[in-house]
């Protein structure tokens, strides 16, 4: 049945995340933004509360998934959307910091063999020390054009030799393993692409942190270098048969990940927009303009109404895309709609909040300037806004090749 | 938890209305002024019960909610919004009778079937801020009944209505505490119905102004508590208007996408150019988001939620989206979009007419701000 209210259980879940965001995350956020790191006990606390960055399947030691019982549709995508939104409300940096398989989880879950899942999900079982997984697709010379990757993999006996560079890899330096996309032949297109799970410390695999960024400063971003890095064939995601059977390389694996991650990333942008809106309202409640309380100004009230409905609309697009994923419906178009819309709303709301607040908005302690910096990358990673529009347009006009 | 699952019944209704709108309404969108066409379509509309899905079963409806009504409205408007409004002889006034009328007054809805009755709802006044205190039509007691003094604007179906439900003030208290709804017969002494001059769009729909110079009226005498029931009626109207706008915006977007796949330029189809493809992607995103805002508002309404914001947000967003859909779809078709040989110029006009008749953006935004932050 059509419903837009949270069930009691979910309202409790949202309340719990929101409480964590307000009472634990937010007080640490400014300091983490300055030092580029959260304290170690914060990660342990998140893990002990049951938060996991990326899903660990139940059969491989993850926690029990809410709502998948009784053959009913899963609720996991909707839960992720709610959790992501409210954690980002506390601090947009925090989500990518949560220990867990991260963006490496979905390709492992989608393409991995049972042995690979058993082995690589193991570090994330409850009770283990905190650990991160990572996902490396982007290279210095190519981002959105993922077909153009040049990191080479060459078959060598019972393994592969990797050579090349990856960049903008979240948690890449501390990850226990990273899903790395490489190609047998740079001219071979999608079919030549392969995905490998490369473990930390593998000889020939070096990482360096990228320290200075516009926003998400408390997130670890790494550059990966592969120099004659030998990876056993057992680390080829899905095994040789997977690629023989599908005949489409790992490209599809990379793209499928997005159908689940994009609504989540979009929801984070919604959380950022909501946070900026709330900060602006708080500012307007305390301040005066021309002798009158700011909140009585008609043009400001209209702006706040406009912001709020834009945020609601973006939120609904996220929930819609997640609902489709939960119901196993193809949702590439809807995931892209959420991802095209929410970061645009987030950028607009944070910018207008800054503009209304004048000089006050530029002060670090006001938090809005941080939201304004942080939200920018949400229109870039997980597919830029332009790429989302391309995907939507292709679905709207299937008769055409649009590039 | 957010859920977009429609019941099987709702899905079936939606499919049936879509068939009707595609086969019957869209091909006749340009013939809305022809009385014979209108009469024929009205018969089918009544037969299919398209105006009464959300009426209680004892009143002859299907007993469904506003959500189902919203599904019907979007589909009809994707056929033709002017016809969608012009074919509905009960209209919003029927909802007023159901919500506010006594059992005897509700009985009059049965007359829609056989007596050729047409009801019209008269809410708006000359002052666009009628929802923020500028409602000036007065009702004064007169023996058993009442008499009305004042004027009503933008009354849809007014020229052919046989009776009107009129919102009027019974006292000068600010707010909605002394506002009530009254039934006025079309031929009543002291009532003048002035047909509106032609409008930008919704060609099939007539509308008019009411001048009440002491015309006799009967208070809608049902037991529903007043300010709340009238607020519900206003929410209902906003949501239904917004649903019609989603239908128009969807039709325009879909047509432009089809055209962009077939129109060559510079050795490609125009849809292959990002300058065409990206605005269409954004438009489709806006239409979807607007629909979910409308559904959310309808679902809240059906639950009895008295929050004003969902309906106001749905309306404001629908107005924005329908304007954008009209303008951008005409742009995609270029010169062809400007011509009456293609439907998009009509959708641009119809969208503007719907958005305007649903109310001023200024007032709606102020109502939303009042709901959020209290009066300014």
């Amino acid at each position: 049945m059509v419903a837009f209210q949270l069930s009691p259980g979910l309202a409790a879940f949202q309340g719990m995340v929101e409480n964590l965001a307000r009472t634990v995350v937010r007080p640490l956020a400014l300091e983490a933004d300055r030092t580029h790191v959260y304290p170690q006990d914060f990660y342990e606390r998140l893990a002990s509360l049951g938060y996991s960055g990326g899903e660990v399947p139940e059969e491989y030691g993850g926690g029990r998934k809410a709502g998948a019982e009784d053959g009913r549709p899963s609720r996991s995508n909707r839960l992720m959307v709610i959790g992501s939104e409210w954690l980002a409300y506390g601090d947009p940096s925090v989500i990518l910091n949560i220990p867990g398989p991260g963006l490496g989880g979905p390709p492992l879950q989608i393409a991995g063999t049972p042995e690979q899942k058993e082995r690589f999900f193991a570090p994330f079982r409850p009770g283990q020390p905190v650990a991160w997984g990572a996902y490396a697709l982007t290279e210095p010379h190519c981002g959105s054009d993922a077909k153009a990757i040049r990191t080479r993999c060459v078959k060598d006996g019972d393994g592969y030799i990797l050579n090349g560079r990856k960049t903008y890899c979240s948690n890449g330096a501390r990850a226990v393993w990273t899903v790395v996309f490489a190609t047998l032949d740079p001219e071979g297109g999608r079919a030549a692409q392969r995905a490998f799970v490369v473990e930390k410390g593998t000889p020939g695999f070096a990482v360096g942190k990228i320290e200075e960024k516009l926003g998400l400063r408390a997130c670890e971003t790494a550059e990966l270098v592969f120099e004659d890095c030998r990876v056993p064939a057992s680390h080829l995601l899905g095994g040789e048969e997977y690629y023989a059977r599908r005949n489409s390389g790992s490209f599809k694996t990379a793209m499928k990940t997005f159908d689940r991650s994009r609504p989540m990333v979009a929801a984070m942008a919604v959380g950022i927009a909501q946070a900026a809106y709330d900060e602006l309202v708080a500012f307007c409640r305390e301040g005066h303009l021309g002798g009158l309380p700011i909140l009585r100004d008609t043009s400001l009230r209209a702006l706040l109404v406009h912001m709020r409905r834009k945020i609601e609309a973006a939120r609904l697009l996220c929930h819609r895309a997640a609902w489709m994923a939960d119901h196993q419906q193809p949702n590439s178009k809807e995931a892209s709609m959420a991802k095209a819309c929410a970061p645009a709303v987030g950028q607009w709301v944070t910018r207008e909040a800054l503009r209304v607040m004048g000089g006050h908005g530029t002060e670090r302690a006001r938090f809005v300037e941080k939201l304004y910096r942080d939200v920018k990358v949400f229109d870039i990673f997980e597919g830029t806004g332009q790429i989302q529009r391309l995907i939507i347009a292709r679905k709207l006009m299937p008769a055409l090749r649009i590039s | 938890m957010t859920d977009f699952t429609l019941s099987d019944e709702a899905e079936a209704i939606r499919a049936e209305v879509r068939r009707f709108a595609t086969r019957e309404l869209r091909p006749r969108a340009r013939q809305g002024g022809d009385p014979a066409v209108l009469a024929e379509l009205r018969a089918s509309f009544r037969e299919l019960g398209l105006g009464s899905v959300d009426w209680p079963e004892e009143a002859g409806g299907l007993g469904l909610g506003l959500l189902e009504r919203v599904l019907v409205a979007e589909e009809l408007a994707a056929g033709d919004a002017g016809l969608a409004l012009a074919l509905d002889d009960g209209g919003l006034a029927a909802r007023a009778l159901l919500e506010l009328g006594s059992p005897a007054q509700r009985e009059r809805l049965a007359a829609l079937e056989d007596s050729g009755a047409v009801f019209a709802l008269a809410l708006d006044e000359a002052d666009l801020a009628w929802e923020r205190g500028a409602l000036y039509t007065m009702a004064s007691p007169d023996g058993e009944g009442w008499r009305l003094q004042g004027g009503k604007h933008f009354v849809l179906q007014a020229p052919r209505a046989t009776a009107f439900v009129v919102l009027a003030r019974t006292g000068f208290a600010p707010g909605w505490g002394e506002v009530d709804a009254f039934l006025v017969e079309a031929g009543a002494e002291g009532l003048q119905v002035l047909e509106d001059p032609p409008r930008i769009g919704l060609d099939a729909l007539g509308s008019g102004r009411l001048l009440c110079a002491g015309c006799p009226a009967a208070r809608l005498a049902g037991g529903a508590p007043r300010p709340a029931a009238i607020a519900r009626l206003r929410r209902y109207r906003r949501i239904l208007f917004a649903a019609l706008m989603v239908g128009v915006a969807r039709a325009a977007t879909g047509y432009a996408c089809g055209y962009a796949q077939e129109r060559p330029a510079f050795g490609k189809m125009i849809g292959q150019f990002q300058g065409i493809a990206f605005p269409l992607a954004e438009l489709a995103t806006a239409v979807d988001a607007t629909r979910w805002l409308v559904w959310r508002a309808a679902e809240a309404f059906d639950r009895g939620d008295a929050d004003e914001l969902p309906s106001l947000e749905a309306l404001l967003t629908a107005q924005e989206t329908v304007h954008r859909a009209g303008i951008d779809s005409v742009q995609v078709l270029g010169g062809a979009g400007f011509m009456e040989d293609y439907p998009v110029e009509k959708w641009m006009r119809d969208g503007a007419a719907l958005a305007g008749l649903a109310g001023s953006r200024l007032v709606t935004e102020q109502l939303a701000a009042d709901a959020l932050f209290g009066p300014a």
Side-chain angles (χ1 to χ4, degrees):
Chain A
M1 277 302 288
V2 172
F4 295 95
Q5 273 192 316
L6 297 181
S7 64
L10 277 160
F13 172 73
Q14 187 198 295
M16 191 182 72
V17 181
E18 188 180 337
N19 185 49
L20 181 84
R22 286 185 194 279
T23 61
V24 179
V25 176
R26 184 67 70 86
L28 294 172
L30 285 175
E31 180 68 1
D33 187 60
R34 197 176 63 76
T35 61
H36 299 189
V37 70
Y38 268 91
Q40 180 72 15
D41 61 358
F42 173 72
Y43 303 132
E44 283 156 11
R45 179 159 183 194
L46 281 178
S48 72
L49 287 170
Y51 289 91
S52 171
E55 214 174 294
V56 180
E58 202 179 330
E59 62 271 34
Y60 296 102
R64 189 150 182 278
K65 292 295 161 293
E69 70 272 10
D70 314 330
R72 293 213 316 256
S74 156
R75 298 189 300 180
S76 67
N77 285 282
R78 281 171 289 176
L79 284 169
M80 294 291 270
V81 156
I82 292 170
S84 305
E85 179 188 331
W86 285 99
L87 279 179
Y89 181 92
D91 178 6
S93 280
V94 90
I95 312 244
L96 299 175
N97 266 308
I98 303 174
L103 289 172
L108 177 59
Q109 172 63 8
I110 291 165
T113 63
E115 298 76 39
Q116 288 170 338
K117 291 181 192 177
E118 185 67 38
R119 171 165 182 179
F120 296 118
F121 278 126
F124 308 109
R125 286 180 187 154
Q128 301 283 331
V130 294
W132 289 266
Y135 173 97
L137 180 61
T138 294
E139 301 188 1
H141 78 283
C142 75
S144 296
D145 185 9
K147 281 201 298 288
I149 57 169
R150 286 187 204 143
T151 294
R152 293 292 294 266
C153 54
V154 178
K155 187 88 203 258
D156 177 56
D158 62 348
Y160 285 84
I161 307 286
L162 301 187
N163 273 291
R165 297 172 85 86
K166 294 284 176 183
T167 193
Y168 310 144
C169 175
S170 293
N171 296 318
R174 61 188 172 190
V176 289
W177 51 252
T178 303
V179 172
V180 177
F181 292 82
T183 179
L184 291 165
D185 170 13
E187 309 298 314
R190 298 172 182 192
Q193 291 188 4
R194 298 290 180 268
F196 298 89
V197 186
V198 182
E199 287 174 298
K200 187 175 191 171
T202 304
F205 170 33
V207 295
K209 284 193 203 175
I210 301 170
E211 294 293 349
E212 305 301 338
K213 303 193 290 288
L214 170 68
L216 294 192
R217 288 180 178 162
C219 289
E220 181 185 286
T221 308
E223 181 146 337
L224 317 183
V225 181
F226 300 92
E227 282 177 345
D228 293 329
C229 173
R230 190 181 161 80
V231 181
S234 61
H235 286 36
L236 172 65
L237 205 54
E240 303 285 357
E241 315 80 58
Y242 179 79
Y243 299 94
R245 192 170 66 240
R246 302 174 65 89
N247 201 27
S248 61
S250 62
F251 190 79
K252 267 208 163 136
T253 306
M255 295 302 122
K256 259 192 164 168
T257 302
F258 288 136
D259 295 345
R260 297 167 74 87
S261 64
R262 280 179 180 151
M264 208 174 85
V265 170
M268 296 179 206
V270 173
I272 297 173
Q274 184 72 51
Y277 172 89
D278 287 354
E279 291 298 319
L280 176 59
V281 172
F283 172 82
C284 294
R285 281 194 199 285
E286 74 197 34
H288 284 72
L289 196 69
L292 283 173
I294 300 179
L295 209 47
R296 287 172 66 177
D297 181 83
T298 309
S299 67
L300 172 81
R301 288 160 73 91
L303 177 67
L304 290 171
V305 166
H306 196 181
M307 285 180 174
R308 195 179 180 280
R309 69 185 170 85
K310 289 287 174 196
I311 295 169
E312 289 290 340
R315 184 177 281 137
L316 286 168
L317 287 173
C318 296
H319 282 279
R320 166 73 177 177
W323 174 85
M324 293 178 82
D326 279 342
H327 286 73
Q328 316 284 328
Q329 296 180 9
N331 73 335
S332 300
K333 183 178 83 180
E334 289 75 13
S336 285
M337 284 179 162
K339 179 67 173 63
C341 173
V345 170
Q347 289 174 86
W348 175 69
V349 170
T350 53
R351 183 187 76 212
E352 293 305 313
L354 273 188
R355 291 180 62 192
V356 170
M357 292 164 76
H360 300 290
T362 64
E363 290 165 4
R364 290 261 165 112
R366 287 281 181 182
F367 207 68
V368 174
E369 67 82 27
K370 174 173 147 55
L371 297 168
Y372 176 71
R373 290 186 285 107
D374 286 345
V375 78
K376 183 62 233 178
V377 79
F378 287 79
D379 206 18
I380 298 171
F381 63 16
E382 291 295 292
T384 63
Q386 290 81 5
I387 292 296
Q388 308 309 327
R389 284 161 178 77
L390 273 182
I391 293 168
I392 299 164
R394 285 176 188 146
K395 297 283 178 187
L396 289 174
M397 297 180 280
L400 303 182
R401 286 176 61 91
I402 307 173
S403 56
Chain B
M1 152 166 284
T2 315
D3 196 328
F4 296 83
T5 313
L6 290 173
S7 68
D8 292 346
E9 188 179 18
E11 289 280 16
I13 291 172
R14 178 147 82 153
E16 185 176 324
V17 183
R18 186 170 292 189
R19 260 195 308 279
F20 174 75
T22 312
R23 285 187 199 158
E24 308 294 332
L25 298 190
R26 193 172 291 187
R28 281 141 154 165
R30 299 279 186 191
Q31 303 158 30
D34 183 338
V37 170
L38 277 173
E40 185 199 328
L41 288 174
R42 272 197 190 103
S44 325
F45 188 93
R46 257 206 305 274
E47 199 173 313
L48 290 167
L50 295 177
S52 56
V53 289
D54 60 333
W55 297 7
E57 286 176 38
E58 62 270 20
L62 293 179
L64 299 169
L66 176 53
L67 182 76
E68 285 78 9
R69 180 76 195 238
V70 153
L71 297 176
V72 170
E74 178 185 331
E75 294 307 326
L76 290 174
D80 186 71
L83 287 171
L85 286 164
L87 300 180
D88 187 359
D89 290 342
L92 292 157
R95 188 75 206 181
L97 283 172
L98 287 167
E99 295 256 342
L100 295 148
S102 65
Q105 288 166 332
R106 291 161 60 115
E107 273 299 302
R108 295 192 49 166
L109 288 178
L112 280 173
E113 280 299 319
D114 27 60
S115 73
V118 178
F119 296 127
L121 181 65
L123 301 178
D124 290 37
E125 301 204 353
D127 190 324
L128 289 168
W130 64 272
E131 278 194 274
R132 290 186 89 226
L135 186 99
Y136 299 126
T137 298
M138 290 297 301
S140 325
D142 178 45
E144 293 287 284
W146 296 74
R147 287 192 183 273
L148 302 187
Q149 288 281 352
K152 287 287 170 181
H153 279 242
F154 312 131
V155 181
L156 309 188
Q157 300 267 49
R160 49 186 295 271
T162 55
F164 299 91
V165 174
V166 180
L167 220 55
R169 192 170 269 296
T170 56
F172 292 102
W176 294 92
E178 292 184 319
V179 174
D180 217 326
F182 298 85
L183 192 60
V184 179
E185 306 303 330
E189 194 192 344
L191 174 71
Q192 237 191 316
V193 180
L194 303 174
E195 188 164 355
D196 281 343
R199 204 175 290 296
I200 183 170
L202 302 175
D203 305 345
L205 175 71
S207 64
R209 232 174 346 140
L210 307 187
L211 297 182
C212 308
C215 60
R219 197 179 83 90
L220 289 193
R226 281 308 118 130
I230 286 170
R232 246 175 97 73
L233 187 62
R234 284 155 46 223
R235 287 201 291 280
Y236 182 93
R237 174 176 182 266
R238 287 177 205 134
I239 296 166
L240 208 53
F241 260 115
L244 292 168
M245 289 180 231
V246 171
V248 172
R250 185 190 96 198
T253 307
Y255 193 91
C257 286
Y259 185 87
Q261 291 178 89
E262 290 168 2
R263 167 76 183 185
F266 305 103
K268 294 196 216 180
M269 296 301 164
I270 60 169
Q272 290 172 285
F273 292 98
Q274 293 183 352
I276 300 287
F278 283 16
L280 287 174
E282 286 163 19
L283 199 51
T285 303
V287 172
D288 269 21
T290 309
R291 180 185 302 111
W292 312 137
L293 283 169
V294 174
W295 282 26
R296 184 185 70 142
E299 191 265 350
F301 182 94
D302 287 337
R303 252 187 306 112
D305 188 339
D307 189 355
E308 290 287 304
L309 275 171
S311 64
L312 293 165
E313 290 182 338
L315 177 57
L316 284 164
T317 308
Q319 288 168 315
E320 183 182 271
T321 301
V322 82
H323 271 293
R324 184 168 157 196
I327 289 168
D328 287 1
S329 62
V330 168
Q331 185 71 26
V332 166
L333 269 76
F338 205 71
M339 303 299 155
E340 290 198 5
D341 302 343
Y342 292 85
V344 287
E345 66 81 26
K346 185 167 190 303
W347 286 322
M348 179 171 153
R349 294 188 289 108
D350 287 349
L354 281 170
L357 288 169
S360 159
R361 168 189 178 165
L362 291 182
V363 178
T364 313
E365 276 179 340
Q366 286 168 22
L367 287 167
D370 292 347
L372 272 171
F373 309 113

